[in-house]
Amino acid sequence: MDTNKSPINFFNNLLFYDGIDDLISSFYNNDDLIEKGYDFIAAHNCYLKIDMIEDSPNAQFTYDEITKEKFFITVILDKKRDLLNYFSREEAINLASGFSQLKILYQKSKTKDTFYFNKISEQLYSIIEDLRLIYPEQKHSLFNVLTKYGGSSYFQYKDLKKTFFEDLYEISYELDLIDDVEIPEEMFYSVFTCLKPDKALKLTFNKPNPIIAYFLKQIEPFFDNLNAVTIENSCSFYNKQGKLLKSTDLYAALSRGSDRNKEYFDRIDRKLNLLKQKYLK
């Protein structure tokens, strides 16, 4: 599939023609992934790259797996950035015409309840949110799709600007809760703003469960549907051992470790209190 075409035409081809099938086909025998050192594992229908991080008798390795779903999301995120840049060049396009085309694309993305259409829909919605911030003076029916809760997002984030999630992401890696190399900002954003739970979105934490549980508890005020149960049901949150965080894990973690981790909890509080002052008024 030619991913170098204009971003509007790229999404148009995905939604109205055979673009999704073409993009998935490009996952197989992908020269770019092979050149980067990935091997295709036919039995698991994925690419795997293994790197040695310590050459010794006790050698340690890192593993990076790319499924066709992850591959699809990566391409969509790249094209989302291209599309936003396209709209940011106001002098090069007719905004009204561009907004109308984007509205048609978003409406089409809502016509099928499939993994691929849902991923496209989420990213188009995110672009519309960003455009509302870039062009607050523009009046167009495109922006009627925006709602207070981000299109009925699963966790129902409140009336928050995207900069909130950028700040939360920065705080998360400053506190060493996540690895900002392994978890890109767009993935982090998607976990908290997805329209429905998506197992392809994974947020793996670096710290022990009591610290994870405390952090998640402290960010609940920014959402109307973020709690231990919805966190488990989203299948997107994992501890440092790679185990899915369940509600029982979070409840148990909150009941222990408060004294031992008090200094760390205080660090979390200081940073999140600044976010609350900035975004919750």
Side-chain angles (χ1 to χ4, degrees), residues 6-68:
S6 78
I8 284 283
N9 288 339
F10 174 82
F11 282 102
N12 189 70
N13 190 45
L14 286 183
L15 293 166
F16 286 95
Y17 298 98
D18 299 322
I20 291 177
D21 291 338
D22 291 343
L23 182 52
I24 295 305
S25 295
S26 72
F27 171 73
Y28 299 98
N29 299 315
N30 188 283
D31 291 337
D32 185 53
L33 291 175
I34 294 171
E35 288 177 3
K36 291 178 179 178
Y38 289 88
D39 295 311
F40 185 71
I41 311 300
H44 299 285
N45 198 31
C46 71
Y47 287 89
L48 184 65
K49 182 179 181 181
I50 304 174
D51 288 320
M52 180 184 294
I53 58 176
E54 182 181 341
D55 187 3
S56 69
N58 298 318
Q60 297 181 1
F61 300 87
T62 61
Y63 301 85
D64 187 24
E65 177 185 86
I66 299 180
T67 63
K68 66 179 180 180

Side-chain angles (χ1 to χ4, degrees), residues 6-17 79 83 86-87 97-112 116-125 127-128 142 145:
S6 78
I8 284 283
N9 288 339
F10 174 82
F11 282 102
N12 189 70
N13 190 45
L14 286 183
L15 293 166
F16 286 95
Y17 298 98
K79 280 299 176 180
L83 186 54
Y86 170 81
F87 275 106
S97 175
F99 287 167
S100 295
Q101 293 178 71
L102 182 55
K103 180 181 178 181
I104 292 171
L105 292 175
Y106 180 73
Q107 290 174 330
K108 179 63 176 179
S109 75
K110 305 298 291 182
T111 60
K112 294 183 181 180
Y116 299 109
F117 264 61
N118 288 338
K119 291 296 100 186
I120 296 169
S121 181
E122 288 175 10
Q123 297 311 317
L124 290 178
Y125 188 92
I127 290 172
I128 297 171
L142 167 68
V145 306

